[in-house]
Amino acid sequence: MSTSAISVRESEVLALLGEHLSNAEISSRLFISVRTVESHVSALLRKLDVADRRALARRAAELARAERPRPVSALPTPLTAFVGRVRERAELAEAVKTRRQVTAVGPGGVGKTRLALAVAAEAAGDFADGIWFVDLAPVLDPGRVGAAVAAAVGVGEQPGRGIDETVLAALADRQALLVLDNCEQIRDGVAPFLERLLVACPRLRVLATSRARMMVPFEWVFPVPPLSFADGGDSEAVTLFMERAAAVGRPPDPAVRERIAALCERLDGMALAIELAAARWPTLGLDGLTAGLSDQLRILAGGPRADDRHRSVRAALDWSHDLLEPCDRALLRRISVFAMPFTADAATEVAAFAPLDPAAVADGLGRLAEQSLLTATPSAAGTRYQALETIRQYGTERLADAAELTDVRSRHLGRCLAGATALTAAEAEGTDRPARFDALAEDMRAALAWAAGRPEQRADAYRLALAMGELTFARNLLGEAQQRFEQAAALAGEGEGEGEGAGVGAGDGAAALRQAAAVAGCRRLGDDMLRLHRAAAEAARRAGDTIGAGRDLSAAATVAYRFSSEFTRVPTADEVTAVLAEARQLSEGGDPAAEAALALAEAAVLADAFGAVQGAADNTAHETVELAEHAVELAGRAGDPVAESAALDALSGALTWAGDSFGAAAAARRRIDVLRPVPGTPAATHERMDALAMAAGTALGVGDLPQARRWGRQLADQPLFAEVGHHAMSWLLIADAFAGRAEEVLAGSTEFLDAWRRSGRQRSFSLGPAAASVAMIHGLRGDHEARAHWLAVVDRAGTTSEHRHGYGAVFDALVLLHHGDPDAALVRLAPEPDEVWKWVSWIWLHWYVALRAEASVLAGHPDARNRIAAARRTVTGNPVATAQLDRAQGLLDGDVTRQLAAAAAFDAAGCPYQAARTLLLAGPAHAEDGSAALARLGLTGG
């Protein structure tokens, strides 16, 4: 039979059979029962027409080989062929297979990178998950090693954790090879990162190149020797020279190979030195090369042999440099400031000043490439040029010797600032914007690192840091975005009162810190949000902006309660009340924005509109609604859509305390409308993501399942959720679970679980209910072992009180009623709604009272009729809960017609599960249709 008849779950079981796992192990891996595994194995034996489990395992291996995608091999393609080093390649390849971390060590120019690339390419078949190459030469900040690896691997940031942790989680089970090139640049950052990486990722291998060893556990050092010249004219060194010379002109006559061998020996077999000499073959010939290089080498003679190897490359570079025309010498040193491949136009902007004009720059780039001092690579945007790191370092030295370092760096800074400004302009939005940013990013980072330490460049450094904050946020590099906004604030603060920093000061720093706080919000880092809002207040106060300082302190008090679940150390009520008191004192003066911020903080802290961790179990609902409505009014008057959305969030929370689920849903919907025209700043993005989550949740709370799913889908599609499938999928899972769409829930649960584990098993107000919704679907299917597995996830992903008294009671009751145990369901729902108000308000109230009424009917509770009537007063307008009460009334009265009408109402409300269950409850005449409907939903067994 064709494998197309195999279900998704069966294919997962088959793959694990191919790994020779037992039924119990498969059960644990997939969160399904052993009985369900046995059922799938039986089905696979039948569908694949094989005799036994062993044959299934063989078939799984065959399918895996046929369908497995080719491993990733993200290695740069060298422009020239690799020559020689047969012994070194074999030894290094064997070391990479058997050692956790190998460091290829040698001086600059010996050929470490080319050797590592050749070995990695040959080893590709040994690493099922592929090979990644990371060039660390452009990276100047030791703290960005993890970010560089993440970019190479294609891993994005996860809200709630740093990029290093995200990389470790993404590579934890990968059988892959990571090639780290030019580690000596930032060895202080590479070594600790490698130590953590190798511990966390036991199947990962690392091949590093460096001028010095990393000094980390697991390291095995492979000294890279120069090219051999022991075999005279037949040596590897001569072969390299012959090939490179032939590539730039007429090949040398074989008769001179022995003389070339002597020249290569004088160059110590250093690959870069040999290639530089070979590039001059067409113009100088052997005699000219020998004479010129001999003079250089004689000058640099003496010292230990290892030093000589450094000196031979330096000699070749000095000699190549001295042979250049003065204009080309100037160009070589000036383009050394580029960290990444650059175009002729970019080189012109930076290097075209006396003695160079634009035409000389364009011509000179070609000549430098001909002399192997640059590589030239065609691209869609035109030819791009790049120098080897050794040559870049040499050029930088020459730049300093010529007293041009400050001038050229300043020009490079100006170009980067202009590029950043162009990218942040509204018209720069487009599909090519990420690629344009990526092409300029490392140069911007290098320019910023240089300028940040120079007082005379502080204003430009501030502007570049601010632009980098915006650009990295748009690129979804949230950790760096926060870092850049904080860096901009520090630069503004340093420039306060100084003539060199004219145009920037503490006021600009406060604005940058507010941006940083918003990014921290997107990262779900409550502690940073609070810290940064308070720092912004201090910066505003230094700038004389007491009103702004009050607004920032109001924001600090608000986030402490509004996002209390995102703190590692939850601020105490006393701490936050003190901040609020200070905010109140500073906000006097009638500024609308400050008044709106203060009103929101008071609704959050004094009335606990958001149901914070620090809040009490009880709530004076009337006062809370009044305070929240006042905050909404003031925010609207201030004309700040982001502030208005935050105030509407408070109102939505307050209305849930008041039992007005429909009002809460309306306030949440209004947030979506208010934010729709707002550009995607960090603050607006943070607010929009929260608004979508709240809109989806409150829609579920009033029985609008289709709308809840639409907003859940929009939330899942947010770029910031690209790496956090558990957050992205949570509301979709809950909406589909209530509807009874088992296949969608089970398919999404795999992504949810994998992402949640990679995230470090976070807790959140939405993650617990999402896991509980998956447990409910397994329970409806009768797979109680899998349900137990998912309930264990709930214990880790949610909070005990909410699960015990809120959503857990709802989901458990649904399972118990499905399996005909209304007495147990009634026990689960025993507390009166006002006894568990804090946990059932917002989403769960209507579901709780409707289920409680139905369980009372089915269990024969004497107060069933009164409970139906009381529930109706609460849920009026909720199509799903109303249909459930109509069904309960029909069951109580023996009115089959009313029950069938309820089934139609469930279908119309987008709840096919309850429609199918209604048919089962309506009696034998309708039971067959009900069973068929459940089967279509995937609810007829594990």
Side-chain angles (χ1 to χ4, degrees):
M1 173 176 282
S2 169
T3 57
S4 62
I6 297 175
S7 70
V8 173
R9 180 63 82 191
E10 287 168 347
S11 67
E12 293 172 342
V13 171
L14 181 62
L16 296 177
L17 286 170
E19 296 180 23
H20 305 288
L21 298 187
S22 68
N23 285 357
E25 289 170 325
I26 295 173
S27 165
S28 177
R29 185 81 66 90
L30 296 181
F31 282 81
I32 58 179
S33 68
V34 173
R35 179 176 58 81
T36 300
V37 176
E38 292 169 350
S39 174
H40 287 317
V41 170
S42 297
L44 287 166
L45 290 170
R46 184 181 70 257
K47 291 181 178 183
L48 295 176
D49 193 23
V50 294
D52 53 27
R53 188 185 184 92
R54 183 175 298 178
L56 271 181
R58 286 197 298 270
R59 179 63 62 88
E62 293 168 2
L63 291 173
R65 284 193 295 271
E67 298 175 5
R68 186 178 196 169
R70 292 178 62 84
V72 175
S73 184
L75 296 173
T77 304
L79 300 177
T80 55
F82 186 79
V83 174
R85 295 196 183 273
V86 175
R87 180 184 59 80
E88 292 95 326
R89 286 165 74 175
E91 291 179 3
L92 187 55
E94 182 62 26
V96 166
K97 292 178 186 177
T98 57
R99 309 279 182 173
R100 293 295 316 282
Q101 197 260 307
V102 179
T103 305
V105 174
V110 76
K112 300 183 296 294
T113 299
R114 290 299 302 271
L115 176 61
L117 287 173
V119 168
E122 291 176 2
D126 296 322
F127 296 94
D129 294 313
I131 298 174
W132 293 284
F133 177 84
V134 186
D135 183 6
L136 294 174
V139 181
L140 301 177
D141 181 357
R144 287 194 49 77
V145 173
V149 174
V153 174
V155 173
E157 293 194 42
Q158 292 184 358
R161 67 194 325 204
I163 189 63
D164 286 11
E165 288 73 21
T166 302
V167 170
L168 299 185
L171 300 181
D173 60 351
R174 298 292 188 95
Q175 184 190 1
L177 175 65
L178 186 65
V179 182
L180 300 179
D181 195 29
N182 292 304
C183 293
E184 70 277 352
Q185 296 293 108
I186 44 171
R187 194 165 50 138
D188 290 346
V190 176
F193 176 80
L194 270 182
E195 187 167 350
R196 294 173 61 202
L197 181 75
L198 293 168
V199 170
C201 309
R203 303 175 71 203
L204 191 72
R205 298 278 192 271
V206 175
L207 172 57
T209 74
S210 177
R211 297 183 186 182
R213 61 176 301 181
M214 295 291 100
M215 304 295 290
V216 295
F218 306 112
E219 182 181 34
W220 190 78
V221 176
F222 181 85
V224 178
L227 287 167
S228 170
F229 44 80
D231 293 333
D234 295 325
S235 67
E236 293 176 340
V238 172
T239 302
L240 176 65
F241 184 97
M242 299 289 281
E243 289 204 9
R244 299 298 188 260
V248 294
R250 181 173 54 84
D253 190 320
V256 300
R257 291 181 73 105
E258 292 299 329
R259 293 180 61 195
I260 292 174
L263 178 64
C264 292
E265 183 175 1
R266 295 297 305 274
L267 292 173
D268 290 308
M270 298 296 284
L272 176 57
I274 291 170
E275 293 197 17
L276 291 174
R280 288 287 182 173
W281 169 263
T283 55
L284 296 179
L286 184 57
D287 291 339
L289 290 174
T290 301
L293 281 168
S294 293
D295 288 342
Q296 290 289 336
L297 290 165
R298 190 177 304 113
I299 292 170
L300 293 172
R305 190 63 180 173
D307 288 344
D308 283 351
R309 290 169 184 164
H310 287 280
R311 292 173 179 226
S312 61
V313 172
R314 178 59 186 243
L317 285 169
D318 284 339
W319 168 77
S320 295
H321 174 268
D322 293 344
L323 288 175
L324 297 173
E325 294 296 324
C327 287
D328 290 349
R329 294 179 197 171
L331 181 59
L332 179 64
R333 64 179 179 260
R334 292 173 185 177
I335 54 88
S336 68
V337 297
F338 286 103
M340 296 292 287
F342 57 90
T343 63
D345 287 343
T348 299
E349 288 184 49
V350 171
F353 61 96
L356 296 176
D357 59 26
V361 170
D363 291 344
L365 291 173
R367 287 191 294 271
L368 292 177
E370 289 171 2
Q371 304 307 322
S372 293
L373 293 165
L374 292 179
T375 59
T377 307
S379 74
T383 300
R384 290 190 173 272
Y385 299 89
Q386 186 174 27
L388 291 174
E389 182 60 21
T390 301
I391 295 175
R392 278 191 63 227
Q393 293 172 3
Y394 178 85
T396 301
E397 292 177 15
R398 287 289 186 170
L399 201 58
D401 292 342
E404 291 181 346
L405 185 60
T406 298
D407 193 4
V408 174
R409 285 285 188 193
S410 297
R411 287 170 173 268
H412 181 250
L413 171 64
R415 179 181 184 276
C416 290
L417 185 56
T421 302
L423 283 171
T424 57
E427 58 269 21
E429 297 286 350
T431 56
D432 67 334
R433 187 186 187 192
R436 291 168 60 200
F437 168 78
D438 292 345
L440 190 59
E442 289 298 348
D443 277 294
M444 289 193 290
R445 292 175 181 124
L448 181 55
W450 174 79
R454 288 162 176 76
E456 71 278 6
Q457 300 288 356
R458 188 171 292 131
D460 281 346
Y462 161 79
R463 284 187 278 273
L464 182 55
L466 197 64
M468 283 286 286
E470 295 179 30
L471 292 169
T472 50
F473 180 80
R475 196 68 176 92
N476 212 15
L477 301 173
L478 303 189
E480 184 176 2
Q482 182 179 328
Q483 174 194 352
R484 297 306 176 194
F485 284 127
E486 292 194 54
Q487 184 180 23
L491 289 164
E494 290 170 3
E496 187 179 356
E498 296 181 14
E500 298 104 334
V504 296
D508 299 293
L513 288 165
R514 291 171 195 134
Q515 294 270 62
V519 178
C522 293
R523 300 178 70 199
R524 308 177 70 88
L525 300 178
D527 306 79
D528 276 5
M529 275 192 283
L530 181 61
R531 171 181 64 82
L532 290 164
H533 278 303
R534 298 188 73 169
E538 182 57 34
R541 199 183 334 234
R542 289 201 311 273
D545 181 10
T546 55
I547 296 295
R551 191 169 66 248
D552 291 321
L553 288 176
S554 292
T558 298
V559 301
Y561 267 59
R562 186 183 179 194
F563 301 108
S564 59
S565 65
E566 297 175 8
F567 282 77
T568 55
R569 188 194 73 81
V570 179
T572 66
D574 288 344
E575 288 178 69
V576 182
T577 301
V579 173
L580 179 59
E582 189 178 0
R584 188 180 293 115
Q585 183 180 1
L586 292 172
S587 298
E588 296 175 355
D591 178 77
E595 290 180 350
L598 181 60
L600 178 59
E602 290 176 336
V605 178
L606 302 181
D608 193 23
F610 298 107
V613 172
Q614 308 96 316
D618 298 323
N619 186 286
T620 54
H622 180 70
E623 179 189 354
T624 307
V625 171
E626 285 185 348
L627 287 172
E629 287 177 336
H630 182 55
V632 171
E633 178 189 354
L634 291 177
R637 193 183 303 167
D640 184 346
V642 173
E644 186 176 359
S645 171
L648 284 166
D649 190 28
L651 178 59
S652 182
L655 290 170
T656 65
W657 288 120
D660 185 358
S661 299
F662 292 99
R669 288 196 303 272
R670 187 173 156 195
R671 293 178 68 191
I672 304 291
D673 295 334
V674 165
L675 292 169
R676 188 166 286 116
V678 182
T681 63
T685 299
H686 183 214
E687 197 64 38
R688 183 173 287 113
M689 292 175 65
D690 184 74
L692 285 168
M694 296 303 103
T698 53
L700 283 167
V702 296
D704 191 351
L705 297 184
Q707 186 63 67
R709 195 178 200 285
R710 281 192 289 273
W711 276 323
R713 180 74 265 166
Q714 288 183 38
L715 184 67
D717 290 339
Q718 292 294 304
L720 293 189
F721 273 175
E723 299 294 328
V724 284
H726 50 311
H727 286 295
M729 294 296 299
S730 58
W731 293 110
L732 283 174
L733 289 173
I734 298 168
D736 282 340
F738 274 129
R741 296 186 178 92
E743 292 297 332
E744 287 88 339
V745 172
L746 295 179
S749 69
T750 302
E751 179 182 349
F752 175 94
L753 191 62
D754 288 346
W756 177 71
R757 285 170 169 167
R758 291 196 306 270
S759 76
R761 293 174 166 80
Q762 297 171 333
R763 290 186 188 272
S764 167
F765 73 94
S766 64
L767 297 181
S773 72
V774 179
M776 182 194 77
I777 288 297
H778 283 297
L780 297 181
R781 288 163 54 86
D783 196 340
H784 299 296
E785 288 185 47
R787 180 168 182 256
H789 281 301
W790 275 93
L791 289 176
V793 175
V794 175
D795 288 341
R796 295 287 301 276
T799 60
T800 301
S801 295
E802 287 178 314
H803 183 233
R804 179 73 188 92
H805 304 298
Y807 62 82
V810 169
F811 288 129
D812 288 351
L814 282 164
V815 173
L816 292 166
L817 290 174
H818 180 86
H819 292 292
D821 194 352
D823 294 311
L826 198 54
V827 170
R828 192 70 178 87
L829 300 165
E832 294 288 341
D834 58 359
E835 294 177 38
V836 290
W837 193 261
K838 180 167 185 175
W839 300 283
V840 300
S841 64
W842 186 41
I843 295 177
W844 318 111
L845 176 61
H846 288 194
W847 297 94
Y848 188 93
V849 298
L851 283 163
R852 191 167 185 265
E854 181 177 305
S856 298
V857 170
L858 293 172
H861 193 281
D863 201 30
R865 196 172 297 276
N866 288 335
R867 289 183 175 182
I868 291 174
R872 283 195 188 279
R873 291 191 292 272
T874 299
V875 308
T876 300
N878 181 324
V880 177
T882 297
Q884 190 166 11
L885 293 175
D886 287 344
R887 180 176 69 196
Q889 189 76 54
L891 288 167
L892 186 63
D893 297 337
D895 186 345
V896 175
T897 300
R898 187 165 194 170
Q899 294 175 51
L900 295 178
F906 280 127
D907 266 332
C911 193
Y913 162 66
Q914 291 292 358
R917 184 166 175 271
T918 304
L919 295 177
L920 291 176
L921 292 171
H926 305 284
E928 185 176 345
D929 290 339
S931 296
L934 288 178
R936 287 193 295 272
L937 290 170
L939 292 172
T940 54

